[in-house]
Amino acid sequence: MGKIKASEAVVKLFENWGIDHIYGIPGDSINTMVEALRKEESQIKFYTVRHEEVASLAAAAYTKLTGKIGVCLAIGGPGAIHLLNGMYDAKMDHVPQLVLVGHIPARLTGTDYFQEVDTVELFKDVAVYNKKITSAESFPAVVNQAIRTAYQKRGVAVLSIPDDIALGEISDSSPQLSTLFEKKNPGLVQDDLNDAVALINEAANPVILAGVGAKSAKKELKAFAERISAPVAITLPGKGAISDTHPNFIGNIGKIGTKPAYEAMKSADLLIMVGTDYPYAAYLPEGAKCVQIDIDPVKIGKRYSVTVGIVGDAAEALSYLTEHTTPVQERPFLKTCQNRMATWWKWMTEDEVKKQTPIAPEALMSAIESISEEDTIYSVDVGTSTVWSTRYLKVSEKQDFIVSAWLGTMGCGLPGAIAAKQAFPDRQAIAITGDGAFAMVMQDFSTAVHYKMPMIVIVLNNRQLAFIKYEQQSAGQLKYAVDFGDIDYAKFAEACGGKGIRVETFDDLEPALEEAKASDVPVILDVVVDVDAAPLPGKIVMDEAKGYAKFTAKSIAENHKMEKMPPMKTVMRRFL
Ligand code: FAD
């Protein structure tokens, strides 16, 4: 009977689970695992990143794009702490993730040893599975359990691995662990389906709200919306569930949403929620009936008073409803929504054609769209870049759009593009990020260069935390602590071995984008955008209007000047 290192047995197990890459940074407390990975480098690619946060954010983004578990690795202590942000992104956006962190040798635990951090305690809140490995023999079985639990609970499984235990030897004839994992969707309940059909047939003004859970049911969602002639609003991470150009599409709902979606919700008599846990109740109809489809029973009725809950997979439920509801050829409510949408798109086009310098972010989005491909993956960051991309980019069902939706962490754009190129090397990857967010992870542009991942990183450079500035204004506060110095990100790109193009005038924008598209190395397009471009809500509600009025009065009283405000025409259109 032969012997094998526990770490090597575990790496074999990873291969059996179909894990083909890991993001991370090696180091003393995890080096035995890294050595085992080195021996299998033809099967599992190791991406050495420049900051552990990028490893866990990339792992989360990989799963958002593929559904397969993302894996990241770091030493214990500081490396483990750096991973936290991407781990919370995975937790909050419900994606399975496996995290391997080193640990000081088992025999020294509790002695206040160098870099000793109680990682099991540290990860308690973020993890659905959180174990310290205590014996070489049980290590593979614990890994197996960790992966299953991460898939089943759609969350983060963490293993803290004392390096001496990873080094331990176990029998090479240990029973083969099964990597078979069958996640069955809950079966649909006939009575619920019947009740839903009746409600849908009765409704005059039904509105569908599609979330990220509807992205696995794009075909079925479209067929259902067309069958009953209902308008479809989407959540932010649901962008792409139905094409932005579909005639029933009425846009996002919420602060970054459209006015027609807001208005449709206000006059709806039936809300049909599909794969969404949408949190902003003020934007939902008041007192409408509601059908909610969700794979997770805990979500039914969580945010809205639900009349009929359908627990199950969105594709299956929508197929049934499409087959059994009465077809509606013409619905006056849909017509009204479409007329409002036509006006909305007209307003958006007026913004997009601004040929000004400094560049209007709206015009930049339109220019990005013109170089994008049929199956582009957009990895969007958090800040005003979220608003411009969500509102102005027309995303189709064949494209992908990912963001840190629940954690809302700045710095997710670049790691998302890295994951996109790993998952789909032949697809175009475009990261859209602000200078504030990009600066948090910019060192990892060199990772994209090192691993030859051609991508386009668009930095909206306004030398400001603009989203926060507008939060301050709408709350009636004065702008404070949101400005920072300029960085020439184009020069930085060149310093990393990539291509950098700084775009300062509108006339240079289109040629720069074409050059970026043609590049076979990663490119940063450092676009100097209008610092006064205000990401106004699609519908300005009374509290926001009051906040802006208070801010204006305060800036006159305290600063003796009136800050530059968005054009009155735009404000009034969105307010009235
Ligand atoms: P989730 O909360 O992840 O819900 C998805 C649901 O789908 C879950 O309940 C899940 O169980 C279910 N599901 C999964 N798979 C299936 C399946 N196969 N079948 C059926 N059900 C399934 N969001 C907005 O919508 N509007 C905004 O204005 C907005 N502004 C934002 C601004 C910023 C700067 C940021 C960072 C975020 C913003 N968000 C906004 C995002 C917001 O915080 C929430 O993350 C988002 O609204 C939740 O979207 P969701 O319900 O689609 O996703």
Side-chain angles (χ1 to χ4, degrees):
M1 190 173 64
K3 291 275 186 190
I4 181 172
K5 287 202 183 85
S7 53
E8 291 170 9
V10 162
V11 169
K12 287 277 178 214
L13 193 57
F14 289 164
E15 287 171 27
N16 294 343
W17 274 101
I19 291 168
D20 61 4
H21 73 289
I22 291 182
Y23 308 97
I25 301 185
D28 58 357
S29 58
I30 195 76
N31 272 346
T32 299
M33 279 309 302
V34 174
E35 168 65 2
L37 286 163
R38 182 191 65 75
K39 291 184 178 160
E40 292 297 313
E41 64 181 329
S42 61
Q43 302 300 316
I44 302 181
K45 190 170 169 86
F46 195 98
Y47 287 96
T48 307
V49 294
R50 309 301 291 266
H51 191 297
E52 291 90 346
E53 175 180 357
V54 171
S56 51
L57 282 170
Y62 172 77
T63 311
K64 289 177 197 182
L65 288 166
T66 63
K68 293 191 218 156
I69 195 161
V71 189
C72 55
L73 167 154
I75 58 166
I81 294 165
H82 279 168
L83 286 174
L84 267 172
N85 213 26
M87 292 169 71
Y88 269 96
D89 184 49
K91 169 193 160 109
M92 294 178 74
D93 280 351
H94 318 292
V95 295
Q97 182 170 92
L98 178 67
V99 178
L100 309 172
V101 293
H103 197 278
I104 61 162
R107 69 194 149 80
L108 294 170
T109 302
T111 62
D112 295 339
Y113 196 63
F114 175 64
Q115 292 188 333
E116 180 171 5
V117 167
D118 185 343
T119 42
V120 173
E121 194 61 33
L122 176 74
F123 293 131
K124 244 185 193 161
D125 179 56
V126 72
V128 293
Y129 188 93
N130 181 16
K131 303 277 182 209
K132 189 163 115 187
I133 305 298
T134 53
S135 87
E137 283 74 23
S138 65
F139 191 7
V142 176
V143 168
N144 213 22
Q145 197 57 18
I147 297 173
R148 283 166 194 288
T149 310
Y151 270 121
Q152 176 60 30
K153 297 195 171 169
R154 295 188 290 157
V156 181
V158 196
L159 300 175
S160 299
I161 310 165
D163 208 42
D164 50 343
I165 290 185
L167 205 53
E169 294 199 324
I170 58 174
S171 161
D172 65 358
S173 61
S174 308
Q176 182 71 42
L177 289 165
S178 170
T179 54
L180 183 70
F181 175 71
E182 286 286 322
K183 188 165 182 176
K184 289 261 185 292
N185 292 329
L188 304 173
V189 174
Q190 190 58 49
D191 284 354
D192 297 338
L193 293 169
N194 295 345
D195 291 349
V197 167
L199 276 184
I200 293 164
N201 287 345
E202 271 166 26
N205 299 355
V207 177
I208 300 168
L209 176 59
V212 67
K215 279 187 165 173
S216 59
K218 291 179 180 179
K219 194 166 57 77
E220 293 80 4
L221 175 66
K222 182 166 166 271
F224 175 62
E226 289 171 0
R227 167 89 169 185
I228 64 161
S229 289
V232 185
I234 53 163
T235 65
L236 166 62
K239 191 167 169 80
I242 186 164
S243 165
D244 284 33
T245 54
H246 189 280
N248 294 32
F249 177 76
I250 54 170
N252 273 83
I253 180 81
K255 261 197 197 331
I256 61 173
T258 68
K259 195 175 176 190
Y262 180 90
E263 290 168 334
M265 287 291 172
K266 291 300 156 201
S267 47
D269 61 357
L270 177 68
L271 174 66
I272 306 168
M273 296 169 74
V274 185
T276 174
D277 186 26
Y278 181 79
Y280 310 112
Y283 286 87
L284 297 178
E286 280 158 32
K289 292 187 174 154
C290 175
V291 173
Q292 183 178 3
I293 303 167
D294 203 292
I295 205 153
D296 179 358
V298 171
K299 302 289 172 54
I300 303 284
K302 180 176 163 194
R303 311 273 186 191
Y304 194 80
S305 176
V306 166
T307 325
V308 177
I310 299 177
V311 178
D313 177 51
E316 285 175 32
L318 289 172
S319 298
Y320 182 93
L321 296 177
T322 304
E323 205 178 316
H324 292 87
T325 43
T326 312
V328 177
Q329 303 302 342
E330 284 206 9
R331 190 185 288 279
F333 177 59
L334 176 63
K335 196 84 214 132
T336 306
C337 292
Q338 287 170 332
N339 291 339
R340 288 177 180 151
M341 254 337 251
T343 307
W344 176 260
W345 285 130
K346 198 164 109 329
W347 294 352
M348 297 303 101
T349 309
E350 283 171 22
D351 296 339
E352 285 170 352
V353 297
K354 287 181 203 159
K355 293 192 164 60
Q356 65 180 58
T357 296
I359 293 163
E362 302 94 320
L364 172 58
M365 294 304 131
S366 166
I368 294 171
E369 210 179 281
S370 69
I371 57 126
S372 72
E373 294 173 359
E374 197 188 37
D375 60 354
T376 295
I377 301 169
Y378 294 109
S379 175
V380 171
D381 222 306
V382 169
T384 49
S385 60
T386 324
V387 186
W388 305 125
S389 328
T390 308
R391 193 170 285 155
Y392 291 90
L393 279 182
K394 291 187 194 70
V395 171
S396 79
E397 288 143 22
K398 286 192 184 156
Q399 295 173 326
D400 275 296
F401 180 99
I402 52 167
V403 65
S404 169
W406 271 107
L407 182 61
T409 180
M410 291 167 70
C412 62
L414 174 66
I418 290 173
K421 288 312 283 189
Q422 151 61 33
F424 303 104
D426 298 331
R427 289 173 65 181
Q428 183 186 47
I430 302 183
I432 302 179
T433 171
D435 51 344
F438 183 63
M440 291 184 178
V441 291
M442 60 192 269
Q443 72 288 332
D444 270 283
F445 181 72
S446 67
T447 305
V449 174
H450 181 67
Y451 291 105
K452 300 188 173 40
M453 296 173 147
M455 62 174 68
I456 306 175
V457 180
I458 315 270
V459 180
L460 281 76
N461 189 344
N462 55 14
R463 303 154 310 282
Q464 201 172 65
L465 294 166
F467 196 84
I468 297 166
K469 176 179 81 175
Y470 288 106
E471 278 176 353
Q472 290 173 342
Q473 289 186 359
S474 69
Q477 299 156 353
L478 293 184
K479 174 170 87 95
Y480 186 64
V482 292
D483 293 304
F484 32 60
D486 194 9
I487 294 176
D488 189 327
Y489 295 99
K491 281 193 185 148
F492 166 74
E494 301 281 337
C496 292
K499 183 187 251 313
I501 311 172
R502 182 142 166 129
V503 186
E504 293 183 339
T505 66
F506 179 83
D507 289 342
D508 291 338
L509 181 58
E510 213 181 289
L513 277 160
E514 289 298 342
E515 194 182 335
K517 182 175 179 169
S519 171
D520 56 4
V521 296
V523 184
I524 294 180
L525 218 68
D526 179 15
V527 185
V528 179
V529 292
D530 183 3
V531 70
D532 294 315
L536 291 177
K539 164 73 186 163
I540 300 174
V541 295
M542 189 49 90
D543 278 355
E544 287 155 350
K546 281 186 191 158
Y548 280 115
K550 193 169 153 200
F551 153 74
T552 309
K554 223 173 180 178
S555 46
I556 293 169
E558 293 188 24
N559 294 343
H560 309 293
K561 67 168 187 170
M562 192 151 156
E563 294 289 337
K564 195 161 176 203
M565 295 296 282
M568 195 43 76
K569 187 168 96 178
T570 310
V571 174
M572 293 320 285
R573 276 173 170 177
R574 308 251 181 118
F575 181 57
L576 294 176

